[in-house]
Structures are given as structure tokens and as C-alpha cells.
Amino acid sequence: MSTLLLRFAGPLQSWGDDSRFNHRRTYSIPTKSAVIGMIASALGRDRSANVEDLVALQLGIRVDQPGEIISDFQMVHGPKQADVTTRDYISDAIFLIGLMSDDRGLLQQIINALAHPKYPLFLGRRACPPSYPLIIGIREKPLEEALLAEPWLASTWRQPQLNSELRIVLEGNADSIDSLQHRLRDVPISYDPRNRIYQYRYVREAGHVNKNKTVQTEHDAFEELE
């Protein structure tokens, strides 16, 4: 198995949940629908295109810098009245994203697309551009092992202020009775604006890893240039 690692970092991020009407909330971590949507956009796929190959990727997330949820109040002017809306964002967060597959060629194709995207990329909403290069590289390791081995991505000046452990969230199993599992409705079946369809998946908290253990790594920073 190979795992593609990405860095999601920016002044603002927003990973929408099931919120409707005038309050648009955000999850505390990126959703699978948003990650797959970003990749599909980079690949230049139409909203009505099939994304089953991307949905099959196993997603893992390590919260390197959790950030802070903030709210923005906006006025939306309609034909008859103006409405006040509230939109939540995560400020100053950094996430290590892992995508595992036995198809290394697909992971390399994703790297090429993210390096030269067909459409602009953003962290959940168009107002949230990434502030660092997204691509870290491919590791020839299973997902959880790759997430554990990667150095801590938090800003150096912020590290002393942060918790000593990093949260890791992985794909779950519907047949498991693990009490740390919960369901998210973020598996994209169709992005077509006329017929958006999302299904549920299970995710599990894989515990926390001490940040001091993440600084040891054997990966070659120039591996992807060969």
C-alpha cells in the first residue's frame, strides 16, 4: 500500500456539515467529500463525473494545529429582502491528510493534478486558499503508519502553546462495535448541483500520538524528484 500525504494549511478553512438555512457550520476536520471534491476539481472532472475511484481512497487525518472556530456575519441581498447569515471558519489550522491506495499510479496522477490544477483549489470555500503547497509526497507505508511517522507540521512558534498529543481520525468499519466510532454523511456519490447525493461512512478516533514521536522519520525529502 502507498499513502499520499497532503498539507491543508491556511488562514481560514471551512468544512461544511449538514447545516442549512442561515447558519453554515464547519466540522473540526476536513470532510471526505471536500477532499475528494478538491482532487476531482484539480483533475478537471465535471460535477456530473463519476468519482468512485476517488471515493475508494482510504482517508486519514492528523490534526497538527487545531486552530479556532470563528464566525463571520454576512448580509445576503435577495430580490425582496436582505438576510443575515452566519458562516463558521477554522482559523489558523494545519491538517496532515493521508490518502491510501494500492494504485500508486492513481496517487501520482493526483500529485500531478494538484501541482497543475485545472480549476482553482481552496480549503472548503472559495474564500479559503491554501497558504502552503498542498503536496508532501507519497510514502510506501500503510495509512496510519505514514501519519504517525511524518514530522509535526505545526508552526514552530505555535508548538509550545499546543497540546502535547496529536489527534488522528481514520476510516471506520460498519461491522465494528468500537465506541470511538461515529458516522459522518460526507461520502460523495454525486456533486451534480441538480442532484447532490452523499452517503454515510464510519470514522474512528485512532487515539492520539505524542508530538515528540512524530519528528523521527526516514523519508527522503527528494524522493518525489527522482
Side-chain angles (χ1 to χ4, degrees):
M1 285 290 187
S2 300
T3 298
L4 169 60
L5 296 179
L6 306 174
R7 177 198 292 107
F8 282 11
L12 294 175
Q13 304 183 37
S14 188
W15 309 106
D17 63 5
D18 291 335
S19 55
R20 298 179 177 87
F21 306 110
N22 289 341
H23 190 176
R24 303 292 179 173
R25 298 185 296 270
T26 177
Y27 284 119
S28 60
I29 60 175
T31 59
K32 187 162 188 175
S33 58
V35 175
I36 298 305
M38 173 188 286
I39 294 171
S41 180
L43 290 166
R45 296 190 187 182
D46 186 84
R47 284 182 176 271
S48 60
N50 189 302
V51 290
E52 288 183 2
D53 58 333
L54 303 181
V55 170
L57 296 168
Q58 291 289 304
L59 172 66
I61 298 173
R62 194 182 77 188
V63 183
D64 283 40
Q65 191 167 299
E68 178 183 357
I69 294 182
I70 61 175
S71 295
D72 181 36
F73 298 93
Q74 301 180 3
M75 293 292 294
V76 178
H77 295 276
K80 295 184 179 180
Q81 65 181 25
D83 293 324
V84 177
T85 68
T86 302
R87 305 197 177 196
D88 293 345
Y89 297 87
I90 308 174
S91 172
D92 197 29
I94 300 177
F95 301 102
L96 176 65
I97 307 297
L99 294 165
M100 184 175 70
S101 174
D102 56 4
D103 185 350
R104 198 182 194 281
L106 174 60
L107 298 182
Q108 187 59 54
Q109 184 182 359
I110 292 171
I111 283 181
N112 296 340
L114 291 174
H116 306 283
K118 175 70 174 179
Y119 302 109
L121 305 180
F122 43 87
L123 301 176
R125 291 200 182 119
R126 290 185 177 88
C128 306
S131 58
Y132 288 87
L134 293 168
I135 304 163
I136 294 179
I138 295 176
R139 306 290 180 253
E140 302 305 330
K141 297 177 180 178
L143 178 59
E144 186 170 1
E145 184 179 338
L147 291 174
L148 289 170
E150 200 66 18
W152 196 19
L153 302 180
S155 304
T156 303
W157 68 273
R158 285 292 306 276
Q159 291 182 7
Q161 308 167 23
L162 297 176
N163 194 295
S164 61
E165 295 184 327
L166 307 181
R167 177 187 176 200
I168 294 180
V169 181
L170 302 173
E171 302 267 13
N173 187 335
D175 297 326
S176 173
I177 58 173
D178 189 343
S179 62
L180 296 178
Q181 284 199 152
H182 60 279
R183 294 201 309 169
L184 292 179
R185 188 169 174 262
D186 69 344
V187 178
I189 304 303
S190 170
Y191 288 110
D192 191 327
R194 298 163 299 182
N195 187 35
R196 286 194 177 96
I197 302 174
Y198 300 94
Q199 290 185 348
Y200 286 95
R201 70 182 173 116
Y202 282 90
V203 297
R204 63 183 177 90
E205 300 282 342
H208 294 72
V209 56
N210 190 286
K211 66 186 181 183
N212 296 322
K213 296 180 180 178
T214 67
V215 298
Q216 301 298 325
T217 178
E218 299 177 357
H219 84 267
D220 181 357
F222 296 95
E223 174 185 0
E224 300 304 322
L225 301 179
E226 296 179 357

